[in-house]
Amino acid sequence: MKALTLNKMAIASLTAAALALTAGAANACSRFTLDTPHGVSTVRSLDWGEQLGNVAQVNPVGISNSSEAPSYKNAMTWTTKFHAISQMEWDVFGGVASDAINSEGLAASLLYMYDSAEFIADYQDNGAPAVSFLDVIRYITENYATTEEAVKAFNNNDWQIAWKDGLHGTQHGLHISIQDKSGDIALLQLNKGGKMVVYRGDTESDLRVMANSPLQQDHRAYVEKVNLDDIAAKGIPSSISSLDRNLRGLFNTQHVTFQEDASWAQTRGKLLSTYNAGNLIPQDLIDPENGETYATWTQFVYNHDSGDFLFTNYDTRSSIGYNFNDTKSFTKTMCADTVKQAEEGLSEAVFTECKTR
């Protein structure tokens, strides 16, 4: 699918410049996936050194797609198998799908992982069709029904990540989580020597929380130093660093209890308050790990079973929602600029045919 990619040279130039300016502020974004009485649900925020946008893009079954991976022998092409909605960021990242969910309740999230960047030079093309970071979240959700299915395909070399091609030609460290409606979670990271490591877990494991640098093994070593059972929260750090956000996320989610008789709206509210207490980033605070500032600009919470989706733009604190199931009749790729529509006061997203950029 070539929609939304007009004037690629301009997009690539602007994106490369924006990423270069904000590369030091890259330890941002978080993701929670938790089980609730209303089904598995995910909360995700995008945090960066400058304001971000968001376009919800519906990708119906039967659409032909191709991924650009010039550094690899084979580039991925696919036809959308599962109806999916992806969250597209155009203002800074020039068309990256940051998060997506499909009709089977499988979702995937792309977050920054600065520590992987130095290992890209050692990563070797394994001959599998390569998927660009622009498209990899879409590819996963449009082709697989469960986390196990996606991971099995990855381990069988049915697909690989086009590490060397980065984002619009600029290399960056990133990592991917895959989570389904059963609560099965996988975390894919590039480690020393260019080796891909796939962690497996569920909503009861530490993979329920995802942040940024350092790599998962180092997050685990940091968390081990703190007693997460201490409900008084003594020793829980307060900085916005990724290490501290991951730890706070694990602490807060370990102690949250969802009431069986609560409505979905109440449950969603508790999900968001739990997330916001430890992982939402106010504007202007400084990360002690890199001396940079970044903030939460956009956030969404969605239910893997019911399809309920709520988007919030924290620049104006305006929200807008929709239900995945209401888009299943779409036969064309459709889009909703959720930032713009929320600012205009709409409470429900309006999808129209995507505009070429």
Side-chain angles (χ1 to χ4, degrees):
M1 182 177 68
K2 296 296 185 181
L4 304 180
T5 55
L6 185 66
N7 200 3
K8 292 179 184 177
M9 292 296 292
I11 288 174
S13 297
L14 291 170
T15 301
L19 289 174
L21 288 171
T22 56
N27 285 342
C29 303
S30 301
R31 189 272 299 145
F32 283 5
T33 298
L34 301 177
D35 195 11
T36 80
H38 293 272
V40 170
S41 302
T42 291
V43 187
R44 164 76 196 274
S45 69
L46 275 77
D47 321 319
W48 201 250
E50 58 183 290
Q51 187 172 345
L52 301 174
N54 190 81
V55 174
Q57 179 175 311
V58 180
N59 306 304
V61 174
I63 300 295
S64 297
N65 305 273
S66 61
S67 191
E68 295 186 3
S71 300
Y72 293 79
K73 182 177 180 180
N74 299 305
M76 178 64 72
T77 61
W78 75 96
T79 300
T80 303
K81 181 178 179 182
F82 297 108
H83 186 93
I85 300 181
S86 57
Q87 306 305 312
M88 308 294 294
E89 206 298 316
W90 286 94
D91 293 6
V92 173
F93 294 97
V96 173
S98 65
D99 206 282
I101 186 169
N102 70 17
S103 56
E104 310 308 300
L106 176 74
S109 306
L110 180 69
L111 276 73
Y112 218 91
M113 174 48 71
Y114 179 82
D115 288 12
S116 289
E118 65 177 301
F119 308 134
I120 294 174
D122 296 322
Y123 180 81
Q124 298 297 312
D125 184 354
N126 61 24
V131 190
S132 165
F133 271 122
L134 292 167
D135 310 314
V136 66
I137 298 303
R138 284 192 53 227
Y139 168 77
I140 292 168
T141 53
E142 292 174 27
N143 285 277
Y144 303 106
T146 64
T147 300
E148 175 64 26
E149 188 178 321
V151 171
K152 183 177 180 180
F154 182 79
N155 289 334
N156 288 341
N157 288 339
D158 291 342
W159 62 280
Q160 65 172 320
I161 299 166
W163 283 101
K164 295 185 186 299
D165 293 320
L167 296 173
H168 300 293
T170 302
Q171 291 184 353
H172 295 277
L174 298 158
H175 60 159
I176 296 168
S177 73
I178 307 172
Q179 50 273 356
D180 65 26
K181 66 180 180 181
S182 76
D184 189 11
I185 302 172
L187 176 63
L188 283 63
Q189 294 187 332
L190 183 66
N191 273 248
K192 187 176 182 179
K195 179 184 177 182
M196 285 298 303
V197 176
V198 180
Y199 294 94
R200 297 301 301 273
D202 55 27
T203 55
E204 297 298 317
S205 76
D206 62 354
L207 296 189
R208 69 185 182 272
V209 176
M210 182 183 180
N212 313 101
S213 295
L215 293 162
Q216 185 68 9
Q217 61 267 27
D218 300 315
H219 272 300
R220 287 175 171 174
Y222 186 68
V223 171
E224 285 179 358
K225 299 176 182 179
V226 177
N227 178 14
L228 295 183
D229 293 325
D230 182 5
I231 194 66
K234 292 182 295 213
I236 301 298
S238 61
S239 90
I240 66 170
S241 74
S242 178
L243 271 171
D244 290 345
R245 282 185 285 112
N246 179 72
L247 191 155
R248 287 197 301 272
L250 289 171
F251 174 80
N252 289 340
T253 55
Q254 179 169 311
H255 295 287
V256 67
T257 301
F258 296 103
Q259 303 301 321
E260 292 290 335
D261 59 350
S263 68
W264 163 241
Q266 291 174 309
T267 301
R268 185 177 65 187
K270 198 166 191 177
L271 277 166
L272 289 170
S273 65
T274 303
Y275 184 98
N276 293 354
N279 289 70
L280 193 79
I281 302 176
Q283 296 181 37
D284 304 325
L285 296 187
I286 299 295
D287 186 334
E289 297 293 323
N290 56 27
E292 299 286 349
T293 183
Y294 47 83
T296 297
W297 295 109
T298 60
Q299 179 192 62
F300 26 86
V301 53
Y302 53 88
N303 187 295
H304 292 246
D305 283 295
S306 72
D308 180 81
F309 192 104
L310 181 67
F311 169 85
T312 300
N313 169 26
Y314 274 92
D315 182 45
T316 58
R317 192 52 180 86
S318 51
S319 297
I320 191 168
Y322 56 86
N323 192 288
F324 182 99
N325 296 311
D326 293 336
T327 73
K328 287 184 176 180
S329 62
F330 296 173
T331 57
K332 295 181 179 180
T333 302
M334 304 284 277
C335 290
D337 187 330
T338 50
V339 170
K340 182 179 179 181
Q341 291 185 11
E343 289 176 349
E344 291 174 345
L346 296 183
S347 60
E348 187 171 343
V350 176
F351 287 89
T352 57
E353 195 165 345
C354 298
K355 297 179 180 179
T356 303
R357 290 178 181 257

